[in-house]
Amino acid sequence: KRRGIPEIIFAETKELEDIRKIIKRTLQKSNSVIVSRLKKTDYPKIQTFAKKLKVKVKTGKKSSTLLLFKKPIKFQGGKVGILTAGTSDIGVAEEARLVCEAMNCKCITSYDVGVAGIQRIFPILKEMIEEDVDCIIVAAGMEGALATLVSTLVDIPIIGIPTSVGYGYGEKGIAALASMLQSCSLGLSVVNIDNGIAAGGIAANIANRTIRKKE
Amino acid sequence: KRRGIPEIIFAETKELEDIRKIIKRTLQKSNSVIVSRLKKTDYPKIQTFAKKLKVKVKTGKKSSTLLLFKKPIKFQGGKVGILTAGTSDIGVAEEARLVCEAMNCKCITSYDVGVAGIQRIFPILKEMIEEDVDCIIVAAGMEGALATLVSTLVDIPIIGIPTSVGYGYGEKGIAALASMLQSCSLGLSVVNIDNGIAAGGIAANIANRTIRKKE
Amino acid sequence: KRRGIPEIIFAETKELEDIRKIIKRTLQKSNSVIVSRLKKTDYPKIQTFAKKLKVKVKTGKKSSTLLLFKKPIKFQGGKVGILTAGTSDIGVAEEARLVCEAMNCKCITSYDVGVAGIQRIFPILKEMIEEDVDCIIVAAGMEGALATLVSTLVDIPIIGIPTSVGYGYGEKGIAALASMLQSCSLGLSVVNIDNGIAAGGIAANIANRTIRKKE
Amino acid sequence: KRRGIPEIIFAETKELEDIRKIIKRTLQKSNSVIVSRLKKTDYPKIQTFAKKLKVKVKTGKKSSTLLLFKKPIKFQGGKVGILTAGTSDIGVAEEARLVCEAMNCKCITSYDVGVAGIQRIFPILKEMIEEDVDCIIVAAGMEGALATLVSTLVDIPIIGIPTSVGYGYGEKGIAALASMLQSCSLGLSVVNIDNGIAAGGIAANIANRTIRKKE
Amino acid sequence: KRRGIPEIIFAETKELEDIRKIIKRTLQKSNSVIVSRLKKTDYPKIQTFAKKLKVKVKTGKKSSTLLLFKKPIKFQGGKVGILTAGTSDIGVAEEARLVCEAMNCKCITSYDVGVAGIQRIFPILKEMIEEDVDCIIVAAGMEGALATLVSTLVDIPIIGIPTSVGYGYGEKGIAALASMLQSCSLGLSVVNIDNGIAAGGIAANIANRTIRKKE
Amino acid sequence: KRRGIPEIIFAETKELEDIRKIIKRTLQKSNSVIVSRLKKTDYPKIQTFAKKLKVKVKTGKKSSTLLLFKKPIKFQGGKVGILTAGTSDIGVAEEARLVCEAMNCKCITSYDVGVAGIQRIFPILKEMIEEDVDCIIVAAGMEGALATLVSTLVDIPIIGIPTSVGYGYGEKGIAALASMLQSCSLGLSVVNIDNGIAAGGIAANIANRTIRKKE
Amino acid sequence: KRRGIPEIIFAETKELEDIRKIIKRTLQKSNSVIVSRLKKTDYPKIQTFAKKLKVKVKTGKKSSTLLLFKKPIKFQGGKVGILTAGTSDIGVAEEARLVCEAMNCKCITSYDVGVAGIQRIFPILKEMIEEDVDCIIVAAGMEGALATLVSTLVDIPIIGIPTSVGYGYGEKGIAALASMLQSCSLGLSVVNIDNGIAAGGIAANIANRTIRKKE
Amino acid sequence: KRRGIPEIIFAETKELEDIRKIIKRTLQKSNSVIVSRLKKTDYPKIQTFAKKLKVKVKTGKKSSTLLLFKKPIKFQGGKVGILTAGTSDIGVAEEARLVCEAMNCKCITSYDVGVAGIQRIFPILKEMIEEDVDCIIVAAGMEGALATLVSTLVDIPIIGIPTSVGYGYGEKGIAALASMLQSCSLGLSVVNIDNGIAAGGIAANIANRTIRKKE
Ligand SMILES: Nc1ncnc2c1ncn2[C@@H]1O[C@H](COP(=O)(O)O)[C@@H](O)[C@H]1O
Ligand SMILES: Nc1ncnc2c1ncn2[C@@H]1O[C@H](COP(=O)(O)O)[C@@H](O)[C@H]1O
Ligand SMILES: Nc1ncnc2c1ncn2[C@@H]1O[C@H](COP(=O)(O)O)[C@@H](O)[C@H]1O
Ligand SMILES: Nc1ncnc2c1ncn2[C@@H]1O[C@H](COP(=O)(O)O)[C@@H](O)[C@H]1O
Ligand SMILES: [Mg+2]
Ligand SMILES: [Mg+2]
Ligand SMILES: [Mg+2]
Ligand SMILES: [Mg+2]
Ligand SMILES: [Mg+2]
Ligand SMILES: [Mg+2]
Ligand SMILES: [Mg+2]
Ligand SMILES: [Mg+2]
């Protein structure tokens, strides 16, 4: 049995009623469930539904994702750093945070770091190194250069999330994806555009592994 | 200073003479250097050149990559599993292995696993779990389903390498890349098509981190 | 004359009034007609219209397709299995079912099979083999791996329908299409993204042929 | 166990020596093996190698594929029609034929049918109907219209193979693939560009199924 | 001075007020103006506006295009045939008709010809040949095979308009465009997807030239 | 029967021996045949072969196309102007010329017109207007602006041929194709990239029509 | 410190409340701020907000961009010419103007120049030359030929902005981008589709440099 | 007359003999000519040819471009900085240098700067600022991040040249192009992939303008 991987419900292509049913069914066999890419109007309705079910909810800033859980989720030692290049990337980053937390990790976040003011990145990375994070997630849109930059500066595994921010040629995250995949800096791997779920999943996996070995 | 990350020379767009010069210059300041994507005809010439320089060489099966080093590289405890779907993916997998070994890790490899005979995958994964690998690299071309499959079966972090094997729509690794990025299984992140270097770099990073924490 | 192929009205780019006219005109010369890709708001209106015309209607779960017919359609022996990877693929699968039924076949369906729990697929396939289906339709989005998987497990002809479920690189069914076309497993052919109509058409053709030969 | 599906060796990305080894290993456990996409220069060498192994060989016209087998392969009743639009599509069509024959089917072929002279297609289809083929494979490049045309004329299942013939926009089979997938005619499904292997596999599957049921 | 070419206002990216101004300004220096790709809600408003300006209006069936003119436009002998594959292509075809009529030509139209029932095309083409049309416009979506088919049957110049009808791979007219460009039949040239304006312009140019020479 | 359309042999994907056979077979039933996209080394061999067959040959400057014919082809009055933007487009333009001549037209050519020196275009167009050409073919690579420019200056039908000249984004004729299709100038239609055959075919069709009407 | 580069807020992916906060925060440390790609409904709200903040506002015609500033911005001598091909490009051009003005430049604008009436372009360019502009920005959609044309006529540096005007193949600015990048005329460089901000930034940079040197 | 813009011969699609002729013809009316994208084997032949013509030649390191000139080209004050990320970008950078020098500018070059060692970039930029360059060209392949980085650090106009270095998704310069176009840093505009000619042309234009104004 794979431990620590929560159930994910991909809400975008589902009716509200179906989402409710799947939540209910899922919480019967597991302690937590994540609902991702909820329509704006469904978001509060699922929060209300959670109340009715008497399960707890964690939300993310500017995010379309919710974490529902029955018993408190214990922190087990794994730590993940999460950075965003701009404020538009925060929703995706928060999605990753919710997955990490559902998987018993603690997150150190720093949003809106940017490439424009490179000097701002040094104290942030310093803090993450001191916190001894096991993995850093970098969410960035447009040309996505922040992920490359961070991975040239530390030897911590980096997970890049290209975000769909931007317009014109390379829009919808395509430029950021291409540029992260082409990055000539070692130590960076990538998940799909806007896929905070996948980034959180592998980051927590990495962090939890470190912990398990230490035990 | 980032530790353990070897210098990589990207040989594809360079003249033999330039490659030699860069190797020499690099080995003056570091113990090892990796030369990747060497032309077929340059491969043996760089081996000969290494001899003349009196540095040691590690080669990879069916690979266009060489690892040159001065003092023996010590194993420090990190372990990486490497799988390929077919025999055509071996060159890329070996490139990843050389990077991992240059970064002080040990590799457990199993090539030509395939999706066709799913049952073959269970004993292989069992062995890797017993060896307690910290990360598994999966190189697969065509539709790249092996990476998805493996990541549904274990909770070890998986690094997928789409390979440029295949023809027709989705050729040159595009189908495998798309399918790994779209994978609905948690625990998988991806590097660029045929980029064994990048996969080895992040895998070794993950493995070495585990070790460091254990210390 | 080609037998058993029902008329299809592609409603997406048509006005309600036109759809009504074409239905009427078509039912004058044939027993049944399928209306596909109806706008959400037109769906009930066409059902009402059918009532007024005194023709029977079959609907599909979560589907935008309707089957209208005058005299009952007889089952003639052909059997088709229909699988979906997730609940989001059901609408497309149901569209295929309606076509098969309009073409005198019986369908054995199993929705939301997934790749995550591979073990779940064995009893389903076993049942389909026992029912002696002549063809299996597999609808799957995201990375579409289920179609490959199924075709490695049985020697029944498989028709893959990539669905437009997913986001990021390879979205809109492109990853699923590419991965089904690249599949290294024999016995799989493909129709266009979300095209349940085409899948139903060829599957029923295959099933009906078997029957005709048996006669 | 899946019956009748031969082993396929994808030779394009393999060294001659490896191909020889895999042939040998494969023929130890099965009666036949297909080697596809052989380099021009490797083609006669594998024929010679087959002689040395004392196994029989079937070749295809203008094809890069070989069928090697130990005991004669028996015809079991399944029949497949194979059409090409032009002479440039013959190599791919022959690849499909070899797979069908390896899977115990008989093939009725008609190459260079074209769309330009539509009237030429009627007697050919008439013959195939009289031969009672269970499936028709249509290989066509450029705009690939022949597959659409044939599928409007018969109610036999059609497998379209887009071929990589053509130049300019839509070259490399992309126009033919797109046009076959978009075809508004029922009864057509598609395999990847130039993939005679996949087409042969599903066509023979369909034909063999018919036979089995008749038994 | 280029004769017979009317002014075209591309309305899609313009505000209603701007469109009105440009119409007014244009009609001061020329007898007619065409407004294309009007928003649904702007369509009647421009008709009302024309009334107020006391200029005449010609509309197209299912079209977003209007022809406004002051003095009656005289027929000068040029004739253009216009065909559509389906009813969804009519709007685009009508746009072409309005341009042809603004350019003093007469149009013989036949909509919803289809490829499915090839026999229906013969009487239509016969009529067009008897009417002695100088050019035939063929509007077709999905796989766009009708344009190829028609151009194999007559030696009249054909202008193909791929339309944005269809879904899945090759949607938005891409498959139809690719297939018309790849067509192996001589006598066919192409305008951009849904561009009835361009098709009408060149068709009328061809027809008018014929007339001029005859004079 | 379609008159004046010569047989075309697409040589690129054919063996020399096959090309010879098809030429022979074709010349038995028609007076002329065009062989296009001959490999450089096959070009003189087909010329020699023509001599042996005692048929006449017309070649094109920098072209891969040959026109073979038995009896002299008579000029019947149709005239076609042919322009190229640069010297790299001449081969494609000459291919179009051969088709026009095979179809009984006369060509007025002017190669290497360019956009850089716009003033050079005026005397050329003036000459073509005086010669009373019925159609102008414009072959242009890179950004293909010449076709747009010409079509804004005359009211003669223009056939644009995007050529595969250029590199970087939009290479292989893609930028020229897109820009010709997007051209906001009326009177321009397009054939596929490098397809001089198709351009010649429709241009001669247009020219011949004019003549026929005049008769 | 980089001088003259204003802060830009990319509003498209931000909530109104966030935009307000960032404006406020930015104006605390700098004299001006540009807000680009505001939603239609947010546009007036930010104007109102500016009033409340007691800062001045400059708007652009048909533009989604606003310039907010505290103290008047002084003209320092740099001059930029701005052209558009059509009226649909004006919004983007105005965005560039606002950036130039924020960066202390003066703009000479001429909108709706077109390619159709080439003669119209000469007096406009003459005026710009007499005004001694340091750089010319050309915004053009569809096939974007105006940028090429202008750069062949003057030796002033040209910045091309492809705009997302157009439909069909090459839509969303892709044809204009490709054609500007492929332009065979020297003196032209390009920014991303619809990116008036970037064009204004580099144009003003060029103009300001000229001034600084003159000092 | 546009001053200072040299004639460019695009050699890639031309025969050696044609190149020679065009060089000769061009040098009759102008002092210099640039030949770009020469085949490797033609490179020395054109140098020899230049000798025979008694004109001088400037070559570029690793470049396929040559500058031929009759009278010495005078430096007129314009200065351009040229950077490359890696050694593989040098050929393209040198092409730009030759154009700048042909256009009377002086170049300060620094090749193989990289992003990996960011600190290395500061002294280089400092030198360029002190030299008071009017424009900086940045050539970079793979993810092209160097252009973004440089443009965040200085307020000198930057011209980015994406180079075709790299492999996998985003190869052939596509990732670098997309990332430079998406760059969220002001002051950067772009030319086509590998187009050192275009970069040199606009950079020299910018530099020369500055000079002219100073006069
Ligand atoms: N376990 C799975 N394996 C493969 N694909 C899946 C799986 N679960 C869901 N999918 C795909 O993911 C999409 C969403 O699934 P669902 O959330 O169940 O609607 C569907 O298109 C499925 O094809
Ligand atoms: N008459 C035709 N109708 C449709 N496609 C054709 C026709 N002739 C040839 N083709 C296609 O054009 C390509 C070249 O044909 P061929 O010249 O006969 O080798 C092949 O891929 C054929 O599929
Ligand atoms: N005469 C023209 N020449 C070139 N492009 C034009 C011309 N007129 C309009 N355009 C382009 O076509 C689009 C629509 O123009 P307009 O209708 O004037 O808004 C704009 O993006 C323009 O760039
Ligand atoms: N440190 C770097 N930072 C960014 N890009 C680089 C770096 N080094 C090399 N590149 C790019 O990677 C490609 C190969 O570089 P090189 O191996 O130095 O030839 C070139 O196109 C460079 O643009
Ligand atoms: Mg920011
Ligand atoms: Mg295998
Ligand atoms: Mg599911
Ligand atoms: Mg043929
Ligand atoms: Mg129809
Ligand atoms: Mg020229
Ligand atoms: Mg205009
Ligand atoms: Mg370097």
PDB file of all heavy atoms in Angstrom, chain B residues 78-97:
ATOM      1  N   GLY B  78      23.766   7.232  -1.317  1.00  0.00           N
ATOM      2  CA  GLY B  78      22.548   7.475  -2.092  1.00  0.00           C
ATOM      3  C   GLY B  78      22.325   6.399  -3.128  1.00  0.00           C
ATOM      4  O   GLY B  78      23.261   5.967  -3.792  1.00  0.00           O
ATOM      5  N   LYS B  79      21.090   5.963  -3.293  1.00  0.00           N
ATOM      6  CA  LYS B  79      20.803   4.905  -4.269  1.00  0.00           C
ATOM      7  C   LYS B  79      19.679   5.322  -5.203  1.00  0.00           C
ATOM      8  O   LYS B  79      18.657   5.850  -4.772  1.00  0.00           O
ATOM      9  CB  LYS B  79      20.387   3.628  -3.539  1.00  0.00           C
ATOM     10  CG  LYS B  79      21.531   2.926  -2.867  1.00  0.00           C
ATOM     11  CD  LYS B  79      21.028   1.616  -2.281  1.00  0.00           C
ATOM     12  CE  LYS B  79      22.088   0.958  -1.424  1.00  0.00           C
ATOM     13  NZ  LYS B  79      21.477  -0.186  -0.685  1.00  0.00           N
ATOM     14  N   VAL B  80      19.884   5.056  -6.481  1.00  0.00           N
ATOM     15  CA  VAL B  80      18.902   5.423  -7.486  1.00  0.00           C
ATOM     16  C   VAL B  80      18.556   4.201  -8.337  1.00  0.00           C
ATOM     17  O   VAL B  80      19.453   3.484  -8.776  1.00  0.00           O
ATOM     18  CB  VAL B  80      19.461   6.546  -8.398  1.00  0.00           C
ATOM     19  CG1 VAL B  80      18.511   6.834  -9.557  1.00  0.00           C
ATOM     20  CG2 VAL B  80      19.719   7.815  -7.588  1.00  0.00           C
ATOM     21  N   GLY B  81      17.270   3.944  -8.518  1.00  0.00           N
ATOM     22  CA  GLY B  81      16.839   2.877  -9.432  1.00  0.00           C
ATOM     23  C   GLY B  81      16.646   3.448 -10.827  1.00  0.00           C
ATOM     24  O   GLY B  81      16.171   4.574 -10.966  1.00  0.00           O
ATOM     25  N   ILE B  82      17.036   2.702 -11.846  1.00  0.00           N
ATOM     26  CA  ILE B  82      16.833   3.182 -13.219  1.00  0.00           C
ATOM     27  C   ILE B  82      16.167   2.087 -14.056  1.00  0.00           C
ATOM     28  O   ILE B  82      16.675   0.969 -14.140  1.00  0.00           O
ATOM     29  CB  ILE B  82      18.160   3.601 -13.895  1.00  0.00           C
ATOM     30  CG1 ILE B  82      18.925   4.596 -13.001  1.00  0.00           C
ATOM     31  CG2 ILE B  82      17.899   4.220 -15.265  1.00  0.00           C
ATOM     32  CD1 ILE B  82      20.226   5.128 -13.590  1.00  0.00           C
ATOM     33  N   LEU B  83      15.031   2.433 -14.658  1.00  0.00           N
ATOM     34  CA  LEU B  83      14.288   1.489 -15.500  1.00  0.00           C
ATOM     35  C   LEU B  83      14.177   2.025 -16.918  1.00  0.00           C
ATOM     36  O   LEU B  83      14.084   3.233 -17.120  1.00  0.00           O
ATOM     37  CB  LEU B  83      12.844   1.346 -14.991  1.00  0.00           C
ATOM     38  CG  LEU B  83      12.621   0.794 -13.601  1.00  0.00           C
ATOM     39  CD1 LEU B  83      11.129   0.865 -13.256  1.00  0.00           C
ATOM     40  CD2 LEU B  83      13.089  -0.655 -13.561  1.00  0.00           C
ATOM     41  N   THR B  84      14.158   1.126 -17.913  1.00  0.00           N
ATOM     42  CA  THR B  84      13.756   1.556 -19.251  1.00  0.00           C
ATOM     43  C   THR B  84      12.627   0.660 -19.750  1.00  0.00           C
ATOM     44  O   THR B  84      12.563  -0.519 -19.397  1.00  0.00           O
ATOM     45  CB  THR B  84      14.892   1.495 -20.296  1.00  0.00           C
ATOM     46  OG1 THR B  84      15.111   0.132 -20.673  1.00  0.00           O
ATOM     47  CG2 THR B  84      16.172   2.095 -19.783  1.00  0.00           C
ATOM     48  N   ALA B  85      11.773   1.240 -20.583  1.00  0.00           N
ATOM     49  CA  ALA B  85      10.692   0.468 -21.180  1.00  0.00           C
ATOM     50  C   ALA B  85      11.221  -0.480 -22.241  1.00  0.00           C
ATOM     51  O   ALA B  85      10.832  -1.639 -22.319  1.00  0.00           O
ATOM     52  CB  ALA B  85       9.646   1.413 -21.784  1.00  0.00           C
ATOM     53  N   GLY B  86      12.151   0.010 -23.071  1.00  0.00           N
ATOM     54  CA  GLY B  86      12.658  -0.825 -24.155  1.00  0.00           C
ATOM     55  C   GLY B  86      14.162  -0.751 -24.259  1.00  0.00           C
ATOM     56  O   GLY B  86      14.823  -0.009 -23.526  1.00  0.00           O
ATOM     57  N   THR B  87      14.744  -1.512 -25.176  1.00  0.00           N
ATOM     58  CA  THR B  87      16.197  -1.478 -25.344  1.00  0.00           C
ATOM     59  C   THR B  87      16.625  -0.170 -26.010  1.00  0.00           C
ATOM     60  O   THR B  87      17.762   0.255 -25.853  1.00  0.00           O
ATOM     61  CB  THR B  87      16.695  -2.654 -26.208  1.00  0.00           C
ATOM     62  OG1 THR B  87      16.052  -2.586 -27.476  1.00  0.00           O
ATOM     63  CG2 THR B  87      16.373  -3.974 -25.561  1.00  0.00           C
ATOM     64  N   SER B  88      15.709   0.472 -26.718  1.00  0.00           N
ATOM     65  CA  SER B  88      16.081   1.723 -27.387  1.00  0.00           C
ATOM     66  C   SER B  88      16.279   2.874 -26.414  1.00  0.00           C
ATOM     67  O   SER B  88      16.808   3.918 -26.778  1.00  0.00           O
ATOM     68  CB  SER B  88      15.010   2.118 -28.415  1.00  0.00           C
ATOM     69  OG  SER B  88      14.737   1.056 -29.285  1.00  0.00           O
ATOM     70  N   ASP B  89      15.827   2.716 -25.186  1.00  0.00           N
ATOM     71  CA  ASP B  89      15.945   3.781 -24.192  1.00  0.00           C
ATOM     72  C   ASP B  89      17.213   3.667 -23.351  1.00  0.00           C
ATOM     73  O   ASP B  89      17.461   4.508 -22.479  1.00  0.00           O
ATOM     74  CB  ASP B  89      14.738   3.753 -23.239  1.00  0.00           C
ATOM     75  CG  ASP B  89      13.416   3.690 -23.962  1.00  0.00           C
ATOM     76  OD1 ASP B  89      13.261   4.432 -24.948  1.00  0.00           O
ATOM     77  OD2 ASP B  89      12.530   2.907 -23.568  1.00  0.00           O
ATOM     78  N   ILE B  90      18.004   2.638 -23.604  1.00  0.00           N
ATOM     79  CA  ILE B  90      19.123   2.344 -22.711  1.00  0.00           C
ATOM     80  C   ILE B  90      20.191   3.442 -22.725  1.00  0.00           C
ATOM     81  O   ILE B  90      20.723   3.822 -21.687  1.00  0.00           O
ATOM     82  CB  ILE B  90      19.747   0.963 -23.059  1.00  0.00           C
ATOM     83  CG1 ILE B  90      18.711  -0.137 -22.744  1.00  0.00           C
ATOM     84  CG2 ILE B  90      21.036   0.732 -22.282  1.00  0.00           C
ATOM     85  CD1 ILE B  90      19.145  -1.539 -23.116  1.00  0.00           C
ATOM     86  N   GLY B  91      20.500   3.972 -23.920  1.00  0.00           N
ATOM     87  CA  GLY B  91      21.532   5.018 -24.013  1.00  0.00           C
ATOM     88  C   GLY B  91      21.229   6.188 -23.099  1.00  0.00           C
ATOM     89  O   GLY B  91      22.104   6.694 -22.381  1.00  0.00           O
ATOM     90  N   VAL B  92      19.996   6.616 -23.117  1.00  0.00           N
ATOM     91  CA  VAL B  92      19.575   7.738 -22.282  1.00  0.00           C
ATOM     92  C   VAL B  92      19.647   7.370 -20.794  1.00  0.00           C
ATOM     93  O   VAL B  92      20.100   8.166 -19.955  1.00  0.00           O
ATOM     94  CB  VAL B  92      18.146   8.187 -22.678  1.00  0.00           C
ATOM     95  CG1 VAL B  92      17.571   9.141 -21.653  1.00  0.00           C
ATOM     96  CG2 VAL B  92      18.163   8.831 -24.062  1.00  0.00           C
ATOM     97  N   ALA B  93      19.233   6.170 -20.477  1.00  0.00           N
ATOM     98  CA  ALA B  93      19.269   5.712 -19.087  1.00  0.00           C
ATOM     99  C   ALA B  93      20.703   5.667 -18.568  1.00  0.00           C
ATOM    100  O   ALA B  93      20.985   6.049 -17.423  1.00  0.00           O
ATOM    101  CB  ALA B  93      18.614   4.333 -18.976  1.00  0.00           C
ATOM    102  N   GLU B  94      21.602   5.211 -19.434  1.00  0.00           N
ATOM    103  CA  GLU B  94      23.008   5.113 -19.036  1.00  0.00           C
ATOM    104  C   GLU B  94      23.612   6.491 -18.782  1.00  0.00           C
ATOM    105  O   GLU B  94      24.481   6.658 -17.930  1.00  0.00           O
ATOM    106  CB  GLU B  94      23.807   4.380 -20.123  1.00  0.00           C
ATOM    107  CG  GLU B  94      23.554   2.879 -20.149  1.00  0.00           C
ATOM    108  CD  GLU B  94      24.271   2.169 -19.022  1.00  0.00           C
ATOM    109  OE1 GLU B  94      25.492   1.935 -19.138  1.00  0.00           O
ATOM    110  OE2 GLU B  94      23.608   1.861 -18.016  1.00  0.00           O
ATOM    111  N   GLU B  95      23.172   7.465 -19.559  1.00  0.00           N
ATOM    112  CA  GLU B  95      23.615   8.840 -19.336  1.00  0.00           C
ATOM    113  C   GLU B  95      23.227   9.293 -17.924  1.00  0.00           C
ATOM    114  O   GLU B  95      24.035   9.893 -17.197  1.00  0.00           O
ATOM    115  CB  GLU B  95      22.968   9.747 -20.385  1.00  0.00           C
ATOM    116  CG  GLU B  95      23.463  11.162 -20.395  1.00  0.00           C
ATOM    117  CD  GLU B  95      22.776  11.995 -21.488  1.00  0.00           C
ATOM    118  OE1 GLU B  95      21.693  12.554 -21.221  1.00  0.00           O
ATOM    119  OE2 GLU B  95      23.310  12.075 -22.591  1.00  0.00           O
ATOM    120  N   ALA B  96      22.011   8.946 -17.535  1.00  0.00           N
ATOM    121  CA  ALA B  96      21.565   9.281 -16.180  1.00  0.00           C
ATOM    122  C   ALA B  96      22.412   8.559 -15.133  1.00  0.00           C
ATOM    123  O   ALA B  96      22.792   9.132 -14.112  1.00  0.00           O
ATOM    124  CB  ALA B  96      20.082   8.924 -16.009  1.00  0.00           C
ATOM    125  N   ARG B  97      22.724   7.307 -15.433  1.00  0.00           N
ATOM    126  CA  ARG B  97      23.532   6.529 -14.479  1.00  0.00           C
ATOM    127  C   ARG B  97      24.895   7.175 -14.264  1.00  0.00           C
ATOM    128  O   ARG B  97      25.376   7.316 -13.130  1.00  0.00           O
ATOM    129  CB  ARG B  97      23.715   5.092 -14.981  1.00  0.00           C
ATOM    130  CG  ARG B  97      24.524   4.211 -14.024  1.00  0.00           C
ATOM    131  CD  ARG B  97      24.705   2.786 -14.511  1.00  0.00           C
ATOM    132  NE  ARG B  97      25.391   2.680 -15.781  1.00  0.00           N
ATOM    133  CZ  ARG B  97      26.728   2.788 -15.955  1.00  0.00           C
ATOM    134  NH1 ARG B  97      27.536   3.016 -14.912  1.00  0.00           N
ATOM    135  NH2 ARG B  97      27.263   2.661 -17.153  1.00  0.00           N
TER     136      ARG B  97
END
